Amino acid sequence: MKISELFSYLNDDRVRRIIAQVSLAGFVVFCFWWLITNTSQNLDQLNKTIGFDFLFQNAGFQIAPTLGTWLFSYEVGSSTYWDIYLIGIINTLLIAVLGIFAATIIGFLIGIMRLSNNLIFRSFATVYIEVLRNIPLLLQLFFWYFTVLRSLPDKRGKIDLIPGAISVNLEGLFLPYPIWHSGAGFAGIVLLVATIATMFMRRKSKNRQLLTGHPLPIWRITATIFAAAILMILVSVGIPMEWSQPTFIETGSVIKRGFDKTTAILVIPEMLAVWFALTLYTAAFIAENVRSGILAVSKGQAEAASSLGLSSGQTLRLVVIPQALRVIVPPLTSQYLNLTKNSSLAVAIAYPELVSIFAGTAMNQVGKEIEMFFMMMMVYLTFSLLTSAFMNWFNHRSKLAER
Amino acid sequence: MKKFLTLVVSAGVVSAGAMMIAGVAQAATLDDVNARGYLQCGVSQGLPGFSNADDNGNWTGIDVDLCRGVAAAIFGDANKVRFTPLSAKQRFTALSSGEIDILSRNTTWTMTRDTQLGLNFAGVNYYDGQGLMVPSGLGITSVSELDGANICTNTGTTTELNITDYFRANNMSFELIAFEKADEVVAAYDAGRCDVYTTDRSGLAAQRTKLTNPDAHVVLPEILTKVPLGPVVRQGDDQWFNIVRWSLNAMINAEELGVTQANVGSMMGSNNPSIARLLGDEGNFGEELGLGNDWAANIIKAVGNYGESYDKHITPLGLARGVNALWNEGGILYAAPIR
C-alpha cells in the first residue's frame, strides 16, 4: 500500500468514525479496568473486603424518634444496618415530600405577590426572594434551628398552641393522634364514595359547560353530597374517632418531667428546622420561576380575559396560570430535585436522614465506604428519576395543545 | 451515536465519582511524604488541649504535637505539616482514601476499627473515659437518675455506642440526638435541647469552656467506659506504622529519661546508654526506620517530651495527669524501650 492510499483511507469519513468509536470504547474499558484493579488493590492493602454482609449486623446505637424509627419499630439490639438504611430513606423522603409541598405553595404565593399591583405585597416578595436566595442554605438551617431552640422553654415547660391538644417545647412539637373506634372503616368508605361522586359531578359539569356554556352549580352539589355523607355516618355510627390527650407530667423525677411521649405524636425540633429552612429557601427560587412563567404569558391574554368580563382572580386562575405552567414546570422540576438533595445538609443539625445515620454513624461502625456510598447514590438517583418522570408527565399534560 | 456518546459521558462521570473513593494506588507513605515535602495530618475541628486552631490559624494541642513530632522526625522541621480539620464522621474515610497520612484526632482505639475499618492504631497518647455532664440546676448526682433523659453527642463516635450500651444494660430509656460537629452539640446542649452532654471526659472539660455559664454544669462522677485515644494510620504500610508508633514512644521515653526540650542539646553525648540510643549517639535506630539517626532528638527539640506537651496543653484544662502519668509515677503510661 502506498502512503497516499493510506492517507486517503484515513480521510474516509466512515473509517474515522470507526476509529473514534473504537478508541473511545477502549478508553472507557481502560477506565473501568483501572478503577476496579486499583480499588481492589487498595482494599487488599487495607485488608478490607467488598460485600454486603454488614447489612445484617445489629446496629448498636440509638436514633432520635422520627417517622422512620416509628414505621420500622427501631430497637437497639434487634434492628440491623438494613433497618438503618430504610429509616434513613423514609426520613429523607418525608422531608423531601413535606418540603416540596410547602415550597410549592409558598413559592407560588410569593411569585404572584411579586407581580402584584399592591406596593406592600410586591416589596415584601422582592425582599423575601433577594434575602433568602442569597444566604447559604446551611446558615439558614442553623438560624432556624437555633432560633427555634433559643425561643422555646425546656422540656419541663411548654407553650400551648391549642390548650390540651397542641403544645411545643424544646423536645419538639406535640400533636394529638387519632384513636379510631369501630365504625371508622364504614365512615371511611362513605367519605370515599362521596369524594368519587363529587369528582364524577365535576366532570359532568365541565362537559356540560363545554356543550352548553352553562356549568352545574358545582359547589352546592358538593356541599349537599358531603352533608348527606356526614349525616349518614353520624346517624349510623356516631363519631367514630377521638383525639389522644397529650399528658404533661409535672412531678416526680426531674428527668422524666415533660410530655408523656406515648400520649402524643412528637415532631422533633431538628425536623421542623430542616423543613422550615428547605421550604423557605426553595420557595424563593420557585417564586422566581413562577414570576418568569407569568411574565412569559403575553399581556394581551389577560386583557382579552378581562374584556370578556373575567375577574382578576379568574383571569389568573383560568387564563394566565395554565399558560404559565408550561414555562414554570421544567425549572420547577430541578428545584424539587435540589430540595431533595439539599436535605442531606440536615446532618449538621442532627436530623436523622440517610446521610446522617447511614453514611455517618453506620459507616463509622462498619467502614464499608464503597458499598454504602453506592447504596446511597442509588437512593438519590431513584428519587430524582422518579420526580423527573412525574414532572415530565405533568409537563406533558400542562403544555399547550398545538394544532 | 448520540446514545453512545451519552453512554460514554455517563460512564465517565460514574468512573470519576468512583475514582474519588478508590484513590490512587498507594506507594510507601514515607516516600510520598518525602516527595511531597510535608506531612498531612488529620485533626479535630477544634478541641482545646488536643487540636485547636488559634486566631492566626496556628494549631496547638497534644494531638497536634504528635504530628509536629513526626514531621520533625522526617524532615527535622516541625512546621512541615499541614492540618486537615475533620469531623468524626469524615475522619476514617479521609485516612483510607489517602487524603491524610496520620489521623491524630482524639480517636478511640477499638477492635472493630483495627479489623473492619482497615486501620492501625499506633499507640495511646491519652487514656480517657466517657463522662456525662448535666446542668447543675437539675440536681442530678448520678447516672442512675438519668432514666428518660435526652442526650446530645457527636455522630460517628464510639460515644454513641457506649451510651446506648450503658442505658440498655441498666434498662433505662433515653433519646440520643447526634450532631455532626462538636460546636453544634455544645450549642444545642447550652440551649437546653438535652439534659445530658456525653463525650470523653477530657472533651467535656474542653468543651465546657465554650458554654455560656461553665460553672452551672457538673460532670457526673461515673466513668462509663475506658476510652484509649491515639494516632491512627492505614493498614498495609508497616514502615509508616513504625515511624508513628516510635515517634510517640520516643516522646514518652524522653520524659522517663528526663530529656526535655531545654536540655536535649546538652544531653547529646550522655553516657547513659538509654539516652544515647534515644538521641542517636549509639546504634542506628533512625536509619532502621528510614529516617536520620537524630530523629528522636529532632522530635524533642521541636515539641518536647510527652510530659512537657501534656503540661502545656492538657493541664490548663484542669485535668491532672492521673492514669496518664508514667508507669513509675503511679500512671499506666509505659512505652517499649528503644534498644
Side-chain angles (χ1 to χ4, degrees):
Chain A
M1 188 162 54
K2 273 188 264 169
I3 288 287
S4 59
E5 265 176 53
L6 180 71
F7 273 112
S8 70
Y9 187 67
L10 281 176
N11 278 329
D12 186 337
D13 218 28
R14 263 191 6 242
V15 175
R16 284 188 165 190
R17 236 178 273 156
I18 291 171
I19 291 175
Q21 293 201 11
V22 167
S23 47
L24 246 173
F27 177 70
V28 171
V29 170
F30 170 78
C31 278
F32 273 101
W33 170 83
W34 181 80
L35 194 69
I36 291 166
T37 49
N38 209 4
T39 308
S40 62
Q41 191 188 332
N42 279 351
L43 286 175
D44 266 359
Q45 207 168 24
L46 291 169
N47 296 326
K48 281 195 187 183
T49 49
I50 289 265
F52 287 90
D53 299 348
F54 73 92
L55 286 173
F56 306 105
Q57 288 175 19
N58 277 345
F61 57 91
Q62 179 72 275
I63 304 177
T66 43
L67 181 67
T69 49
W70 177 74
L71 274 182
F72 295 101
S73 17
Y74 183 78
E75 203 176 323
V76 179
S78 58
S79 293
T80 59
Y81 287 110
W82 175 246
D83 292 314
I84 302 275
Y85 183 56
L86 298 179
I87 291 170
I89 293 177
I90 290 291
N91 286 348
T92 297
L93 204 58
L94 174 70
I95 209 74
V97 169
L98 287 177
I100 285 175
F101 175 73
T104 309
I105 294 175
I106 297 177
F108 265 80
L109 285 178
I110 300 278
I112 291 168
M113 273 165 79
R114 177 122 152 120
L115 293 170
S116 161
N117 290 323
N118 182 319
L119 179 70
I120 297 177
F121 281 176
R122 199 169 59 231
S123 331
F124 172 78
T126 310
V127 170
Y128 176 94
I129 290 170
E130 292 310 331
V131 170
L132 274 97
R133 215 166 49 142
N134 292 309
I135 295 177
L137 179 57
L138 190 61
L139 290 185
Q140 295 192 31
L141 208 56
F142 284 136
F143 172 80
W144 283 109
Y145 185 53
F146 288 108
T147 315
V148 168
L149 285 194
R150 291 282 177 186
S151 57
L152 293 175
D154 77 0
K155 72 176 189 183
R156 283 160 284 276
K158 59 172 177 162
I159 297 173
D160 287 329
L161 301 178
I162 299 176
I166 301 179
S167 311
V168 64
N169 64 21
L170 269 180
E171 278 195 283
L173 182 65
F174 290 88
L175 308 168
Y177 55 83
I179 303 165
W180 305 107
H181 297 313
S182 62
F186 171 75
I189 291 169
V190 171
L191 288 176
L192 187 70
V193 170
T195 313
I196 293 172
T198 30
M199 276 161 65
F200 176 74
M201 291 309 287
R202 273 173 177 260
R203 177 168 288 186
K204 206 169 162 187
S205 158
K206 214 173 173 184
N207 286 339
R208 200 178 122 166
Q209 189 175 17
L210 284 177
L211 283 174
T212 66
H214 297 286
L216 291 168
I218 192 66
W219 292 112
R220 255 177 284 163
I221 294 175
T222 310
T224 317
I225 292 177
F226 274 95
I230 288 168
L231 197 70
M232 193 168 151
I233 293 167
L234 286 181
V235 169
S236 50
V237 292
I239 300 174
M241 66 155 293
E242 62 180 325
W243 296 101
S244 70
Q245 291 277 327
T247 342
F248 190 70
I249 306 163
E250 290 178 86
T251 51
S253 145
V254 69
I255 294 291
K256 283 194 162 171
R257 281 180 215 166
F259 277 101
D260 178 353
K261 284 170 200 149
T262 57
T263 61
I265 300 174
L266 167 64
V267 185
I268 55 174
E270 288 76 23
M271 148 128 197
L272 291 176
V274 175
W275 187 38
F276 284 173
L278 281 177
T279 300
L280 298 179
Y281 178 76
T282 314
F285 290 89
I286 292 179
E288 284 294 88
N289 294 341
V290 170
R291 182 174 75 120
S292 68
I294 291 176
L295 287 179
V297 179
S298 103
K299 216 175 166 190
Q301 295 279 330
E303 286 168 359
S306 62
S307 69
L308 281 173
L310 268 62
S311 71
S312 66
Q314 281 176 320
T315 308
L316 200 62
R317 195 160 48 86
L318 299 173
V319 178
V320 178
I321 290 191
Q323 298 187 70
L325 274 183
R326 75 203 154 97
V327 180
I328 297 175
V329 169
L332 193 62
T333 312
S334 47
Q335 292 309 331
Y336 288 176
L337 300 184
N338 281 345
L339 190 146
T340 310
K341 287 177 283 183
N342 283 341
S343 71
S344 60
L345 286 175
V347 59
I349 59 162
Y351 175 66
E353 44 72 65
L354 190 60
V355 174
S356 168
I357 55 175
F358 196 61
T361 312
M363 191 151 76
N364 261 274
Q365 315 301 351
V366 294
K368 300 281 185 186
E369 289 95 347
I370 295 178
E371 297 89 329
M372 295 173 95
F373 268 109
F374 174 77
M375 288 173 73
M376 282 203 307
M377 290 198 299
M378 287 302 119
V379 171
Y380 283 102
L381 190 67
T382 313
F383 281 4
S384 296
L385 290 180
L386 286 179
T387 315
S388 292
F390 173 78
M391 293 303 281
N392 282 343
W393 168 81
F394 185 73
N395 191 32
H396 189 74
R397 244 194 65 168
S398 65
K399 78 178 178 194
L400 278 190
E402 291 181 17
R403 297 194 177 95
Chain B
M1 186 64 194
K2 202 172 165 200
K3 265 194 181 160
F4 178 70
L5 260 181
T6 326
L7 185 77
V8 170
V9 170
S10 36
V13 171
V14 170
S15 355
M19 273 173 214
M20 283 162 47
I21 300 171
V24 182
Q26 285 144 2
T29 313
L30 181 62
D31 297 341
D32 288 347
V33 172
N34 271 322
R36 202 190 301 128
Y38 60 89
L39 177 75
Q40 285 173 326
C41 171
V43 290
S44 78
Q45 291 163 313
L47 179 66
F50 287 83
S51 44
N52 199 25
D54 67 12
D55 301 343
N56 302 320
N58 295 320
W59 286 90
T60 53
I62 56 164
D63 284 348
V64 168
D65 276 358
L66 186 85
C67 282
R68 290 200 194 281
V70 173
I74 299 171
F75 298 111
D77 181 352
N79 292 318
K80 289 196 169 166
V81 49
R82 291 197 190 162
F83 295 99
T84 309
L86 296 166
S87 73
K89 177 172 158 279
Q90 304 158 333
R91 55 187 164 176
F92 300 126
T93 318
L95 183 62
S96 338
S97 67
E99 197 185 317
I100 53 174
D101 306 309
I102 306 179
L103 179 69
S104 184
R105 193 206 170 282
N106 49 290
T107 300
T108 311
W109 185 355
T110 66
M111 184 163 171
T112 338
R113 288 174 175 177
D114 256 359
T115 53
Q116 275 193 25
L117 300 194
L119 307 173
N120 271 333
F121 280 77
V124 177
N125 70 340
Y126 191 88
Y127 289 95
D128 210 336
Q130 186 172 339
L132 304 123
M133 182 156 67
V134 292
S136 29
L138 293 183
I140 303 281
T141 53
S142 152
V143 187
S144 58
E145 298 163 44
L146 290 179
D147 191 9
N150 290 333
I151 301 177
C152 281
T153 193
N154 273 89
T155 187
T157 56
T158 45
T159 319
E160 276 178 294
L161 303 181
N162 293 339
I163 194 84
T164 307
D165 279 356
Y166 185 90
F167 275 71
R168 258 182 77 203
N170 291 289
N171 262 325
M172 286 155 56
S173 70
F174 75 111
E175 301 295 357
L176 191 67
I177 299 127
F179 295 83
E180 185 172 21
K181 285 177 68 185
D183 284 346
E184 272 78 72
V185 187
V186 176
Y189 169 74
D190 208 14
R193 173 70 179 97
C194 302
D195 306 305
V196 182
Y197 175 16
T198 182
T199 187
D200 307 338
R201 284 169 74 91
S202 62
L204 288 180
Q207 303 294 8
R208 180 183 194 151
T209 56
K210 298 181 186 166
L211 294 169
T212 328
N213 185 0
D215 298 331
H217 301 269
V218 285
V219 175
L220 297 179
E222 288 92 344
I223 295 176
L224 295 196
T225 48
K226 49 189 179 185
V227 175
L229 306 176
V232 198
V233 295
R234 282 181 292 274
Q235 276 188 17
D237 188 344
D238 290 348
Q239 182 196 27
W240 185 248
F241 173 71
N242 280 336
I243 290 175
V244 178
R245 157 175 277 181
W246 285 96
S247 295
L248 174 61
N249 280 347
M251 287 175 73
I252 299 172
N253 280 322
E255 184 185 9
E256 196 177 322
L257 297 168
V259 182
T260 65
Q261 197 169 11
N263 72 11
V264 58
S266 58
M267 283 284 196
M268 295 276 187
S270 160
N271 50 17
N272 178 335
S274 294
I275 296 178
R277 282 192 296 268
L278 175 72
L279 299 181
D281 293 333
E282 210 179 292
N284 54 350
F285 295 95
E287 275 166 28
E288 295 295 335
L289 278 177
L291 308 172
N293 279 335
D294 56 355
W295 64 287
N298 286 335
I299 297 176
I300 299 154
K301 269 180 211 154
V303 296
N305 64 37
Y306 180 85
E308 288 177 290
S309 181
Y310 190 102
D311 287 341
K312 196 159 132 203
H313 303 298
I314 304 287
T315 310
L317 296 174
L319 293 168
R321 282 293 287 269
V323 288
N324 289 296
L326 292 175
W327 62 280
N328 51 9
E329 289 170 11
I332 55 171
L333 219 58
Y334 187 111
I338 294 174
R339 81 154 45 251

